[in-house]
């Protein structure tokens, strides 16, 4: 069986995604509402949402933060000990967002 790889570690090497980890949060998003995850303990997260979202590290996220297309799911590097906040892109329909650590 081949390894699945989806992201790069901080030193530039491939970070193998071996198995799903702990859920760091799930929330229904509506316009103007922000969801903040539990503290991330790993190095990567998997984010899924049927709408486009803004995503930022920490407890605050604005329309100026990175827009993410997580409609097909996406893997992102994460900083251990930090939280991730998300909100819907302007004009997007309400949707549920899932964030899981991966290891």
């Amino acid at each position: 069986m081949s390894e699945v790889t989806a992201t790069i570690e901080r030193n530039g090497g491939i970070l193998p995604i071996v198995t799903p980890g702990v859920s760091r949060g799930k929330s229904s998003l509506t316009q103007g509402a922000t969801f903040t995850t539990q503290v991330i303990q790993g190095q990567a997260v998997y984010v899924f949402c049927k709408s486009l979202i803004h995503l930022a590290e920490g407890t605050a996220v604005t329309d100026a933060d990175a827009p993410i297309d997580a409609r097909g799911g996406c893997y992102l590097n994460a900083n251990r000990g930090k939280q991730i906040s998300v909100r819907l892109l302007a004009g997007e329909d309400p949707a549920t967002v899932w964030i899981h650590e991966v290891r």
Side-chain angles (χ1 to χ4, degrees):
M1 177 190 264
S2 65
E3 288 185 347
V4 175
T5 58
T7 188
I8 304 295
E9 67 181 9
R10 284 170 182 66
N11 297 325
I14 299 293
L15 178 66
I17 304 303
V18 178
T19 182
V22 174
S23 171
R24 289 299 168 201
K26 170 186 170 186
S27 180
S28 295
L29 295 176
T30 57
Q31 283 297 324
T34 299
F35 167 67
T36 302
T37 68
Q38 299 169 2
V39 172
I40 305 299
Q41 299 299 324
Q43 293 183 32
V45 293
Y46 175 77
V47 180
F48 177 80
C49 186
K50 287 188 177 182
S51 293
L52 300 174
I53 56 175
H54 290 285
L55 186 139
E57 183 177 82
T59 57
V61 61
T62 69
D63 291 340
D65 288 310
I68 303 291
D69 184 354
R71 292 176 293 185
C74 65
Y75 292 96
L76 300 169
N77 285 331
N79 288 317
R80 187 173 286 142
K82 301 290 184 173
Q83 293 173 290
I84 295 173
S85 294
V86 296
R87 70 183 291 163
L88 289 174
L89 213 67
E92 286 292 305
D93 292 332
T96 300
V97 63
W98 289 267
I99 301 178
H100 280 259
E101 287 187 25
V102 290
R103 42 190 169 115

